[in-house]
């Protein structure tokens, strides 16, 4: 029995074991199914979250919700700035302009029509390239409907094509060492030709300008494309320029041969002296804002802001890469220059610290700055977040080929950044005009003259940190930064306290970004050297650190019988306080407090001078009361002499001068009026004929 019991018990026990095994097998099975189910659920969730624009409404477009952008945590934005500390040695200070905004002389020396001539309604009849499908057929021509300041054109602008020596004297008097300007493509190739020689008169002009700039101690920073496309290249439907696409709607590089020939020619002709090249200025502005938001060309059939800017942007990115490739292969080794691109971004601060708003603000920066930076400074392609959202919206971004990606990736020696202002950004349910599912607002920020311009110095610091984080700390040049202030007269304009504060706040935050956050900022270019043609707004909006009296009058080539547009008469340049504040900073390379920064007063001109171009000759400048006029008298060398000797000298003057702040104008010193600018560096007057008069103390 025992045995039976034993066996029974054994059998029982073996039964139990089998049962146990079965049970545990079942348990494992259940567990396995459970785990598999769980994994499947997780997988589905992950897929769902990752799928573009899908259920992760919290931070749409992101695989991982972005962090709140530092260095300032929500609500800890600074209310004041310290205005102290030194910039790194070799920090590059400059000012900038762009060809169409300042040159004028729009139909001289063989210049071809530009899309901005057409947009503004300038009289382009008979100009090279002015026979496009939508070009003007008889004068007066018609401005584009998105031109706000109707009647304004770049026909004369600040007349810098003729007054470049005045501009150079002005910059010399500021102690400036770097000047950013752009080359006008339709001057160099009036019809945007893809072969052959450039327009010799244009080449001569830029040669002279660059030579004289260098002789005056200034280094040129040259932009190749600042929006003034040769009109000859844009005549839809056949010629689509940046907007060209094939029948399937895919971007095609129709314009590439023309562009490559232009940039190659510029490198070849000017690259011995130009050591910093910027391919494109603000591709975002000249694409996204060119489909009905105020920038040229703004024409059918390219008016769909959800599609057309992205085609143009794609072609522009490929053109950028092609230009850099040409420069690197053919010129960089011998010319030893550097090349990059300038993109623009205003800072977008999350409206609240919610995940949704933080993500929306991040999208705003990615969909503008990231759009044109990621392919170059990232992996050679558009930001994934942007691709996902566009795909979900059914307007997929164009695709780069592997070869294009390879050419794009790393195609810049520095990161050029244009930055003006800051606003809040909050999440929305609708994609909106910019597809960001977000919207901006500005309450609490100080406003400039421009409707879109609100400022906060800390915004620039945050943006600089953003670039550092996203693109692995590239060398950054702030290639534009500025503030518009309205003014009717030179007197009123000169007192530009708000702009002084802007530059103080912004440069102070640049310094903090460098010293405290380790951002590699190498330079800061104030926008602009001069008041100038502010695109669709025309001339009332003033961004200059120097006031321009446009000598308003009638321009027979303007679209309307408008007697309030710039003329090539006498245009006064008068420095504003902001230019003198910046001068203090860049002469010392030390941040200084903005309070009381101002330019010298007219009485500074009173006294005796040595003219460095006419040794030994006397120069006496008498300032009258009120100090708005005066006279110059003295001696000049007698016949056949180059210096004075007190014996054969003949009288110099007396000549009447007018004085406006730190500008002196001599109306009858030579056949044309000439301007001189007080120079704190040389304690004298920089004249626009190149003469320097040094005070004889
Ligand atoms: C500059 O900062 C001061 C505070 O230090 C502020 O009052 C002013 O509004 C700011 N101006 C601009 C234009 O940023
Ligand atoms: C404009 O004129 C030139 C020269 O006559 C010609 O080659 C070109 O095809 C014309 N362009 C358009 C868009 O008609
Ligand atoms: C300059 O403008 C500011 C306001 O922006 C004003 O407070 C100040 O009095 C002005 N100064 C002069 C000298 O006109
Ligand atoms: C001319 O005379 C002044 C004094 O009246 C003197 O300082 C200057 O050196 C003289 N110039 C020459 C070239 O002799």
């Amino acid at each position: 029995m025992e045995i039976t019991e034993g066996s029974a018990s054994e059998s029982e026990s073996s039964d139990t074991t089998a049962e146990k095994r079965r049970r545990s097998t079942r348990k494992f099975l259940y567990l396995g199914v459970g785990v598999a189910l769980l994994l499947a659920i997780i997988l589905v969730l992950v897929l769902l979250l990752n799928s573009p624009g899908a259920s992760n409404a919290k931070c749409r477009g992101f695989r991982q919700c972005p962090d709140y952008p530092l260095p300032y945590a929500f609500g800890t934005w600074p209310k004041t700035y310290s205005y102290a500390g030194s910039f790194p040695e070799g920090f590059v200070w400059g000012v900038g302009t762009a060809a169409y905004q300042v040159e004028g002389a729009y139909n001289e020396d063989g210049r071809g029509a530009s899309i901005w001539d057409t947009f503004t309604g300038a009289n382009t009849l008979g100009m090279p390239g002015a026979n496009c499908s939508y070009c003007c057929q008889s004068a007066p021509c018609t401005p584009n409907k998105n031109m706000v300041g109707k009647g304004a054109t770049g026909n004369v602008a600040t007349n810098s094509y003729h007054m470049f020596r005045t501009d150079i004297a002005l910059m010399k008097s500021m102690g400036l060492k770097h000047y950013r300007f752009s080359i006008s493509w339709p001057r160099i190739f009036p019809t945007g030709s893809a072969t052959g020689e450039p327009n010799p008169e244009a080449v001569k002009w830029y040669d002279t300008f660059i030579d004289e700039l260098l002789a005056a101690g200034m280094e040129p920073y040259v932009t190749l494309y600042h929006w003034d496309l040769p009109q000859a290249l844009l005549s839809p439907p056949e010629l689509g320029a940046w907007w060209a696409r094939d029948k399937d709607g895919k971007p095609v590089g129709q314009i590439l041969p023309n562009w490559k020939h232009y940039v190659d020619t510029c490198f070849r002709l000017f690259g011995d002296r130009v050591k910093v090249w910027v391919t494109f200025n603000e591709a975002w502005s000249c694409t996204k804002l060119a489909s009905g938001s105020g920038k040229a060309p703004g024409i059918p059939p390219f008016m769909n802001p959800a599609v057309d800017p992205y085609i143009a942007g794609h072609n522009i990115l490929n053109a950028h890469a092609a230009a850099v490739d040409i420069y690197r292969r053919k010129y960089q080794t011998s010319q030893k220059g550097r090349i990059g691109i300038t993109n623009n971004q205003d800072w977008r601060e999350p409206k609240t610290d919610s995940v949704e708003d933080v993500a929306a603000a991040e999208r705003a920066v990615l969909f503008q700055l990231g759009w044109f930076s990621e392919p170059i400074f990232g992996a050679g392609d558009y930001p994934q977040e942007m691709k996902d959202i566009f795909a979900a919206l059914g307007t997929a971004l164009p695709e780069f080929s592997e070869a294009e990606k390879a050419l794009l990736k790393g195609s810049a020696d520095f990161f050029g950044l244009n930055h003006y202002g800051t606003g809040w950004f909050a999440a929305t349910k609708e994609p909106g005009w910019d597809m960001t599912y977000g919207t901006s607002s500005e309450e609490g920020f100080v406003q400039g003259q421009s409707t879109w311009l609100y400022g906060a110095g800390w915004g620039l610091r945050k943006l600089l940190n953003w670039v550092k984080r996203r693109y692995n700390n590239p060398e950054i040049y702030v290639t534009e930064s500025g503030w518009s202030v309205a003014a009717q007269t030179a007197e009123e304009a000169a007192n530009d306290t708000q702009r002084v504060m802007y530059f103080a706040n912004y440069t102070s935050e640049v310094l903090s970004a460098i010293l405290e956050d380790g951002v590699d900022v190498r330079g800061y270019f104030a926008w602009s050297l001069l008041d100038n043609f502010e695109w669709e707004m025309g001339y009332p909006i003033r961004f200059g650190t120097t006031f321009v009296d446009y000598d308003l009058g009638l321009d027979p080539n303007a679209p309307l019988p408008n007697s309030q547009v710039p003329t090539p008469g006498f245009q006064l340049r008068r420095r504003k306080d902001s230019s003198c504040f910046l001068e203090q900073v860049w002469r010392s390379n030390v941040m200084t407090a903005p309070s009381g920064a101002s330019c010298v007063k007219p009485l500074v001109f009173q006294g005796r001078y040595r003219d460095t171009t006419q040794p030994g000759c006397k120069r006496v400048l008498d300032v009258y009361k009120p100090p708005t006029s005066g006279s110059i008298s003295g001696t000049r060398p007698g016949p056949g002499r180059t210096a004075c000797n007190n014996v054969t000298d003949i009288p110099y003057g007396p000549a009447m001068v007018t004085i406006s702040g730190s500008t002196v104008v001599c109306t009858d010193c030579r056949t044309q009026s000439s301007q001189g600018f007080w120079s704190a560096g040389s304690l004298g007057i920089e004249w626009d004929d190149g003469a320097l008069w040094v005070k004889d103390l």
Side-chain angles (χ1 to χ4, degrees), residues 173-453:
S173 80
M174 294 174 173
L176 195 72
K177 299 288 175 226
H178 311 92
Y179 180 47
R180 175 173 178 245
F181 62 95
S182 75
I183 293 179
S184 161
W185 185 356
R187 257 189 220 291
I188 300 288
F189 287 105
T191 58
S193 170
T195 56
E197 289 306 308
N199 169 14
E201 286 167 291
V203 172
K204 185 165 155 251
W205 189 88
Y206 285 110
D207 266 338
T208 306
F209 181 62
I210 292 167
D211 285 346
E212 296 199 14
L213 205 57
L214 287 166
M218 270 164 294
E219 196 187 331
Y221 278 56
V222 177
T223 309
L224 289 159
Y225 188 83
H226 206 123
W227 312 354
D228 49 350
L229 179 75
Q231 182 62 71
L233 299 178
L234 185 63
S235 183
E238 291 80 14
L239 298 177
W242 310 120
W243 292 266
R245 66 209 69 186
D246 63 17
K247 59 178 179 2
D248 302 322
K250 293 200 167 49
V252 286
Q254 184 184 53
I255 191 180
L256 272 183
N258 310 74
W259 163 257
K260 285 183 182 171
H261 186 54
Y262 163 61
V263 298
D264 195 326
T265 303
C266 289
F267 298 147
R268 177 169 60 83
L269 295 175
F270 309 124
D272 56 336
R273 288 153 293 158
V274 173
K275 299 302 166 197
V276 184
W277 295 100
V278 172
T279 54
F280 286 88
N281 180 74
E282 296 191 7
W284 181 83
S285 303
C286 69
T287 56
K288 191 74 187 173
L289 301 182
S291 293
S293 300
K295 303 288 187 253
I299 48 157
F302 308 131
M303 298 294 271
N304 182 352
V307 173
D308 297 310
Y310 302 96
I311 289 178
H314 197 79
N315 286 324
I316 282 180
L317 278 161
N318 282 329
H320 158 80
V324 173
D325 181 54
I326 292 173
Y327 187 67
R328 286 185 175 164
R329 277 189 294 108
K330 291 177 69 175
Y331 300 102
Q332 195 160 35
T333 313
S334 58
Q335 296 182 345
K336 300 186 171 52
R338 308 200 323 139
I339 188 163
I341 186 169
T342 277
N343 288 305
N344 64 310
Q345 183 67 55
D346 282 347
W347 179 244
R348 294 292 171 237
E349 181 72 1
K351 178 90 190 262
T352 72
D353 55 359
S354 70
V355 180
E356 289 86 348
D357 287 353
V358 171
E362 182 77 6
R363 282 194 299 274
V365 180
L366 276 175
F367 287 23
Q368 181 177 331
L369 186 61
W371 169 12
F372 290 102
S373 301
E374 202 92 349
I376 298 168
F377 300 93
D381 201 355
Y382 296 117
Q384 190 61 46
E385 298 86 343
M386 197 175 168
K387 292 205 308 193
D388 289 351
I389 288 203
F390 275 64
L393 284 169
T395 58
L397 284 169
E399 281 171 27
F400 293 112
S401 70
E402 289 310 313
E404 288 169 340
K405 284 183 191 172
L407 212 54
L408 273 161
K409 192 167 187 284
S411 62
D413 299 327
F414 56 86
F415 194 107
L417 182 63
N418 287 359
H419 173 81
Y420 286 85
T422 281
W424 308 111
F425 213 76
T428 56
K429 297 206 159 30
E430 292 304 314
W433 167 81
D434 57 1
M435 330 280 258
T436 60
Y437 288 89
T439 184
S440 62
S441 55
E442 287 87 15
E443 61 274 21
F445 292 113
V446 49
Q447 194 186 1
Q449 183 193 7
S450 309
T451 52
W452 51 268
L453 182 55

Side-chain angles (χ1 to χ4, degrees), residues 78-83 445-448 454-458 483 497-506 594:
K79 295 201 167 45
T80 57
Y81 301 97
S82 66
Y83 312 125
F445 292 113
V446 49
Q447 194 186 1
Y454 292 81
W458 54 261
W483 194 249
T497 314
Q498 269 214 31
R499 190 183 280 108
V500 171
M501 293 306 296
Y502 175 92
F503 285 126
N505 296 356
Y506 277 66

Side-chain angles (χ1 to χ4, degrees), residues 4 20 30 72 79 108 129 142 151 159 161-162 217 228 243 245 282 338 373 396 398 438 495 535 567 607 689:
T4 314
K20 261 188 200 152
Y30 291 151
Y72 297 114
K79 295 201 167 45
E108 293 178 41
T142 314
N159 200 18
Y161 191 76
H162 296 297
D228 49 350
W243 292 266
R245 66 209 69 186
E282 296 191 7
R338 308 200 323 139
S373 301
N495 178 27
W535 307 110
T567 69
D689 62 356

